[in-house]
Amino acid sequence: MLFEYSIIAGILLGLFYALMAMGLNLVFGVQRIINLAHGDMVMLGGFGAWELYYGYHLNPVLAIVVMVPITVVVGYGLYYLLIPRLKSAVDFETLSLVLFFGVSQVVEALSALGFGNNERSLPVTSIPSQPVHLFGQFYPADWWVAAGVALPLLGIFFLYLYRTRLGRETRAVMADEHEAVSVGIDAGRVSAISFGVGLALAAAAGVLAVFVFGGVDPSEGVSITITAFAIIVFGSLGNPLGTVVGSILFGVAYQLAQVYTPSWSNLVPYILVIGTMLLRPQGLFGRRTRVA
Amino acid sequence: MADEILRLEGISKHFGGLHALQEVSFSVVGGEALGLVGPNGSGKTTLINVVCGLYTPNSGSIYLEGTKLGKMNPHRLARAGINRTFQVPQPFGSLTVRENIEIALSHRSGEGMSLDDILDFVNLGKWAGQEAGSLNAAQQKRLDLGRALALNPKVLFVDELGAGLNPVELAEVAVMLRSLLSGGRALVVVEHLMGFLDKLVDRVIVLNAGREIFHGALRSALDDDEVKRVFLGTVGA
Amino acid sequence: MLESRSVEKPAAGVFRRKTLLLDLLAVAVPVVGFAFGINIFANELLLVYMMVYVALAHGINISYGFTGYLPFGYFGFFGAGAYGATLAILDLHVPALIGMLFGGVAGVLFGLLLLPLFRLRGAYFAIATLAAGEAIADIVANPSLQSVTNGPYGENLASVYSSGQIYVAALVFMALALLAVVLVKNSRFGLALRAIKESEYSAAMAGVNVVRMRSLAWVIAAAIAGVGGAIFGWATTVFYPSAVFDSAISVFAIVFALFGGTGSVWGPTLGTVLLYGLYSAVGLSSPQYFQLIYGLAIVVLVLFAPRGLVGFGRAAGRMISLRRAGANG
Ligand SMILES: Nc1ncnc2c1ncn2[C@@H]1O[C@H](COP(=O)(O)OP(=O)(O)OP(=O)(O)O)[C@@H](O)[C@H]1O
Ligand SMILES: [Mg+2]
């Protein structure tokens, strides 16, 4: 009984995690940068939804629609502000990591100063709130909403990546930046747009996170980044479909831990990331990566 | 008959499904220069990486002076007398040329060339105090050779030292390498330039797709049908 | 051009003796400064924290500056040290000073546990240590372990508090950490570390035992964090797990080290004294402002001055000597 519950809950939350982690994987795939501020972007999405709800009575799901274009533009600009200067550095990988570590600190501090240190939550009535009964168990409505919103968003993302010209160029840069440039693709522009899209995915996940996590607070960024990173390493870096599968498996593992050993369940992402890196650095889907 | 320095028996190395080396066997004796040729991607550098312990072979054995080498870390093999230059040299860029050589010298147990001998030999004496990262490509290759010589290797693998050099420099390098054979050292030279090899080596091994397809004198290699096909194939492609 | 520059360099022996002297001064000055500083500036706790941070910044210096591996999860060692010392003092009843050594041992044990992470490349290593740091924080604070670590309720070392001992311990600890850096920097060991940082493969082919050298550096860095956490806990007296397993500790140590300049003995010390001094002068009332300033500092440093303060100094020195060379030639 509890087992089936964990599986279903894990799949529902897994779809949400996929949305939460996808942007991190996109940015990594394109630029070989691990955006350590990714979790903070998720957090900002949550605060954005909160402000839009209380300031403009905007339904959180609609807030996503408002925020996506804004974050794409912000990310586009941020890319040109930060990355090109670094590209020439010998130690690009580590330096970019340190850089985004700094960005993460700035975002966290600004959020704490602007929104206060306390957790904020949105009323459950802002979304459909009737718990769903299935196979003799009740599932919170917000899990269904999160999955129901994440799924079409992921679908749109995959259409973008596999069915549009820009998506094709993005995948070309992911495969080999030099090759892509040599066939006339503007890798800088593609990277900047991808960075924006990555942030938009994070912000959208952030709105849902307010419900799934029960609230949003400025210090949640680090653990979200680690969880997202655990998922994308597990599902193979640079592989978007792997992120979806990895997320669902992670969701199920986490729910099983929640049910059977609740006090230790928070360790799941840490164990997952360290275990994967040590035992199978290329991740589930075996695409050769640059981990080791 | 000179003493055998290094012997490889049935060395294979796979990367996933790619068979980079398949059952490669050969040996070199002291004072001998062996050529290792083959088109791009035929496994020459991989072979060096296996012998130097940077990659573990999937099968096969390696013998140094008749003693079978178990799985050993690269630094132990280097100290034991197996060394190489890198196809793309990776000197310690922020250290001086002198320090680059000194690091290797500090791990030599027996006799060998002094710091100044080495700097003279690779013609970098004037740059001894310079950061290695500021050297040009040809100088970095010579520094890499100096670093390898510091450990007084019994067998030295030279990976495309000639690439990018002009004819005059090439002739100098050939003389330089030949002088390394004294004292019973063995040399394995990877090179695409046949004219260069002709001046240097007695025998060649030809690899193609990880497999040995020819073994013998350089002249007869150039007449061998399979070798011709492999090389013309890559030239044509 | 190249040749004329190499002629300007003094003979190696003289050059090395000169830098060694400068490095030893970089140990003596802060030690003397903190030994007498207490007479001028009476906030003892602040000075203890500052000395601990000087040492931590040098731990980052050894691990990142010399070896190229950046442990974001450095706070995990710090917390492990605080708890290792506390448990030794409260449960094994060792004297507090000996307890500090147990802190170092706890840091080293945690470090040894993480040695397999060195199979990972730099960026992945950094994140893996972060995950490890968060994991050990969760484990120590877990309510299921209340009988051992007191879970989320923290520890209390009031019974062994001794301000004089704490100050001396911090001073000796900082001196040892600085000496360790001088030794690393001026030894074959340090040369090997710098070589490994540049190219692991070339280093191995130069006969350097890469695994052992890197592990040794890592263990030194872990020991520093462990003892640092132990002294921090002792000085703080009552602490919660969230106070010693705080990612801000990593942030501080990394910023101080980067700001001053890694790879040197002066840099991280200067960075710590300046930035931590500023932090304390403005007051601890709103730590967010510091998080903001330090975050911005990281961004600006990475983008504009990846070599830190010391880098500016060196660049200035080089300009002066070049101009002098020009005048002579
Ligand atoms: N670490 C590795 N992982 C996966 N494949 C590898 C690795 N190293 C080499 N290979 C592959 O093994 C094959 C042999 O490569 P190798 O570098 O040994 O060729 P080579 O003969 O030295 O070529 P070149 O003349 O271009 O230097 C190539 O297909 C190469 O892509
Ligand atoms: Mg090669």
Side-chain angles (χ1 to χ4, degrees):
Chain A
M1 219 50 210
L2 281 175
F3 186 75
E4 284 108 355
Y5 170 84
S6 312
I7 304 287
I8 293 175
I11 293 173
L12 291 178
L13 291 174
L15 288 169
F16 159 74
Y17 290 130
L19 186 67
M20 186 180 92
M22 190 62 76
L24 187 65
N25 202 3
L26 175 68
V27 170
F28 176 85
V30 173
Q31 289 158 238
R32 308 287 171 210
I33 282 178
I34 299 157
N35 178 4
L36 270 187
H38 184 80
D40 300 290
M41 301 304 158
V42 174
M43 177 262 291
L44 281 184
F47 277 114
W50 196 93
E51 295 289 337
L52 287 173
Y53 182 77
Y54 284 104
Y56 302 91
H57 307 291
L58 194 65
N59 179 291
V61 176
L62 290 179
I64 294 179
V65 180
V66 175
M67 277 191 286
V68 163
I70 300 176
T71 35
V72 170
V73 173
V74 169
Y76 186 85
L78 209 57
Y79 173 88
Y80 279 109
L81 199 65
L82 297 177
I83 308 301
R85 277 197 75 90
L86 270 194
K87 280 265 161 160
S88 54
V90 206
D91 201 6
F92 172 70
E93 219 168 65
T94 313
L95 277 184
S96 64
L97 196 69
V98 179
L99 177 78
F100 280 100
F101 187 56
V103 172
S104 154
Q105 298 301 316
V106 171
V107 174
E108 198 178 302
L110 286 177
S111 311
L113 291 169
F115 303 118
N117 263 325
N118 299 325
E119 188 174 78
R120 290 188 188 182
S121 54
L122 284 166
V124 282
T125 51
S126 60
I127 54 170
S129 53
Q130 201 55 237
V132 177
H133 190 258
L134 196 72
F135 305 128
Q137 294 280 349
F138 282 101
Y139 298 87
D142 47 304
W143 292 5
W144 292 93
V145 172
V149 173
L151 194 61
L153 285 177
L154 288 168
I156 294 171
F157 171 71
F158 274 96
L159 280 181
Y160 157 76
L161 200 59
Y162 288 91
R163 286 284 177 274
T164 67
R165 192 191 141 106
L166 197 57
R168 199 168 59 235
E169 295 190 347
T170 307
R171 282 181 296 127
V173 177
M174 284 170 93
D176 188 327
E177 180 169 345
H178 295 294
E179 287 281 325
V181 171
S182 71
V183 298
I185 294 173
D186 180 351
R189 185 172 144 271
V190 168
S191 301
I193 292 173
S194 304
F195 195 66
V197 172
L199 292 198
L201 288 166
V207 176
L208 303 175
V210 183
F211 298 99
V212 175
F213 298 156
V216 51
D217 79 275
S219 63
E220 71 185 15
V222 176
S223 69
I224 291 179
T225 304
I226 297 182
T227 304
F229 186 72
I231 288 169
I232 68 171
V233 172
F234 182 53
S236 296
L237 288 169
N239 183 340
L241 205 59
T243 296
V244 176
V245 178
S247 297
I248 289 173
L249 292 177
F250 169 76
V252 171
Y254 186 69
Q255 281 307 313
L256 286 171
Q258 279 269 315
V259 167
Y260 293 103
T261 121
S263 72
W264 295 105
S265 61
N266 284 342
L267 287 180
V268 172
Y270 309 132
I271 294 170
L272 184 68
V273 66
I274 296 175
T276 307
M277 283 206 238
L278 289 180
L279 303 176
R280 194 175 163 80
Q282 72 274 38
L284 274 183
F285 293 98
R287 261 190 49 170
R288 217 186 304 129
T289 64
R290 317 192 318 160
V291 170
Chain B
M1 171 82 201
D3 294 332
E4 172 187 287
I5 304 279
L6 187 78
R7 182 153 49 93
L8 275 58
E9 282 182 2
I11 296 288
S12 298
K13 175 70 193 172
H14 309 163
F15 295 109
L18 177 81
H19 295 243
L21 292 174
Q22 303 184 56
E23 295 284 323
V24 176
S25 306
F26 66 82
S27 63
V28 268
V29 297
E32 182 194 23
L34 172 70
L36 188 58
V37 295
N40 292 114
S42 55
K44 306 178 297 287
T45 302
T46 303
L47 182 83
I48 300 180
N49 284 334
V50 167
V51 175
C52 291
L54 298 183
Y55 296 160
T56 313
N58 294 79
S59 62
S61 332
I62 301 171
Y63 299 82
L64 180 65
E65 293 183 316
T67 317
K68 183 170 168 171
L69 302 173
K71 189 181 156 20
M72 270 206 210
N73 285 330
H75 72 272
R76 294 198 41 212
L77 294 167
R79 293 177 192 179
I82 299 177
N83 223 308
R84 55 91 64 86
T85 67
F86 287 88
Q87 185 167 355
V88 181
Q90 313 163 2
F92 312 125
S94 72
L95 308 191
T96 63
V97 168
R98 182 186 292 112
E99 285 172 327
N100 267 263
I101 308 274
E102 274 174 348
I103 286 193
L105 277 176
S106 69
H107 294 103
R108 186 177 71 203
S109 45
E111 295 290 284
M113 295 162 85
S114 71
L115 174 65
D116 290 330
D117 291 348
I118 294 171
L119 287 173
D120 278 348
F121 183 79
V122 296
N123 200 8
L124 288 173
K126 274 190 252 172
W127 288 272
Q130 197 80 40
E131 275 189 9
S134 67
L135 298 180
N136 67 31
Q139 289 168 331
Q140 291 198 356
K141 284 195 163 190
R142 297 208 302 272
L143 177 58
D144 200 32
L145 179 63
R147 190 261 313 135
L149 288 176
L151 283 163
N152 197 15
K154 295 171 179 145
V155 53
L156 175 63
F157 288 80
V158 181
D159 200 352
E160 303 201 20
L161 199 60
L165 300 187
N166 66 38
V168 179
E169 291 168 330
L170 273 178
E172 283 170 13
V173 169
V175 173
M176 197 186 216
L177 288 181
R178 217 173 8 230
S179 75
L180 289 176
L181 294 171
S182 63
R185 179 178 288 134
L187 214 55
V188 180
V189 184
V190 171
E191 200 53 74
H192 285 294
L193 306 160
M194 294 303 153
F196 176 78
L197 275 183
D198 197 29
K199 290 196 208 101
L200 192 59
V201 305
D202 319 302
R203 275 190 308 146
V204 292
I205 306 259
V206 183
L207 289 182
N208 181 40
R211 206 179 274 286
E212 178 188 314
I213 58 165
F214 178 87
H215 181 176
L218 179 60
R219 295 293 157 103
S220 38
L222 297 176
D223 290 334
D224 185 275
D225 284 340
E226 193 174 1
V227 173
K228 265 196 275 191
R229 203 186 61 240
V230 164
F231 273 91
L232 287 178
T234 57
V235 170
Chain C
M1 166 70 204
L2 290 178
E3 288 163 53
S4 74
R5 249 222 266 171
S6 68
V7 173
E8 288 301 316
K9 292 246 171 183
V14 181
F15 188 63
R16 275 177 208 170
R17 228 169 295 140
K18 230 176 167 176
T19 51
L20 181 60
L21 205 69
L22 263 172
D23 286 348
L24 286 173
L25 264 181
V27 180
V29 170
V31 169
V32 171
F34 278 103
F36 290 99
I38 186 71
N39 300 324
I40 305 159
F41 184 76
N43 191 341
E44 206 174 301
L45 188 61
L46 192 147
L47 292 180
V48 168
Y49 285 170
M50 194 184 270
M51 287 188 276
V52 167
Y53 270 116
V54 167
L56 287 184
H58 278 290
I60 294 289
N61 193 14
I62 290 177
S63 162
Y64 182 58
F66 288 94
T67 325
Y69 280 84
L70 184 59
F72 280 141
Y74 206 42
F75 66 88
F77 301 84
F78 188 85
Y83 270 88
T86 304
L87 296 185
I89 293 168
L90 297 182
D91 296 346
L92 304 178
H93 307 291
V94 304
L97 276 173
I98 307 294
M100 300 302 105
L101 298 182
F102 276 84
V105 171
V108 168
L109 287 179
F110 187 48
L112 292 177
L113 202 65
L114 298 193
L115 273 183
L117 297 182
F118 275 109
R119 298 213 315 252
L120 307 173
R121 291 169 38 131
Y124 302 90
F125 174 89
I127 294 182
T129 63
L130 185 59
E134 297 282 348
I136 190 180
D138 262 19
I139 293 171
V140 168
N142 201 293
S144 326
L145 287 184
Q146 199 177 335
S147 59
V148 187
T149 63
N150 208 22
Y153 308 109
E155 295 282 10
N156 185 339
L157 284 173
S159 57
V160 292
Y161 184 80
S162 153
S163 70
Q165 274 189 29
I166 291 173
Y167 201 85
V168 173
L171 191 64
V172 172
F173 166 54
M174 181 189 73
L176 290 176
L178 287 167
L179 271 178
V181 177
V182 174
L183 279 178
V184 168
K185 181 164 174 264
N186 293 283
S187 63
R188 258 174 56 181
F189 173 49
L191 200 61
L193 289 182
R194 285 164 61 205
I196 294 169
K197 185 181 174 186
E198 300 266 352
S199 165
E200 196 177 319
Y201 287 154
S202 288
M205 293 322 296
V208 174
N209 189 339
V210 174
V211 174
R212 185 194 293 172
M213 296 294 142
R214 209 158 48 187
S215 309
L216 199 56
W218 180 238
V219 163
I220 296 174
I224 290 178
V227 178
I231 294 179
F232 180 91
W234 192 16
T236 310
T237 316
V238 179
F239 58 87
Y240 293 100
S242 57
V244 290
F245 289 107
D246 182 356
S247 62
I249 294 162
S250 297
V251 178
F252 276 29
I254 291 170
V255 173
F256 297 160
L258 286 182
F259 181 72
T262 52
S264 84
V265 194
W266 282 103
T269 312
L270 282 176
T272 307
V273 171
L274 287 176
L275 291 184
Y276 196 75
L278 182 74
Y279 174 79
S280 318
V282 178
L284 304 161
S285 56
S286 183
Q288 269 80 37
Y289 283 107
F290 281 92
Q291 195 179 21
L292 177 62
I293 292 169
Y294 288 168
L296 284 174
I298 295 183
V299 172
V300 171
L301 283 172
V302 169
L303 289 180
F304 300 102
R307 285 169 184 227
L309 282 183
V310 171
F312 281 125
R314 286 210 193 107
R318 215 164 11 221
M319 289 222 332
I320 293 168
S321 72
L322 269 183
R323 201 164 301 154
R324 208 180 291 152
N328 291 345

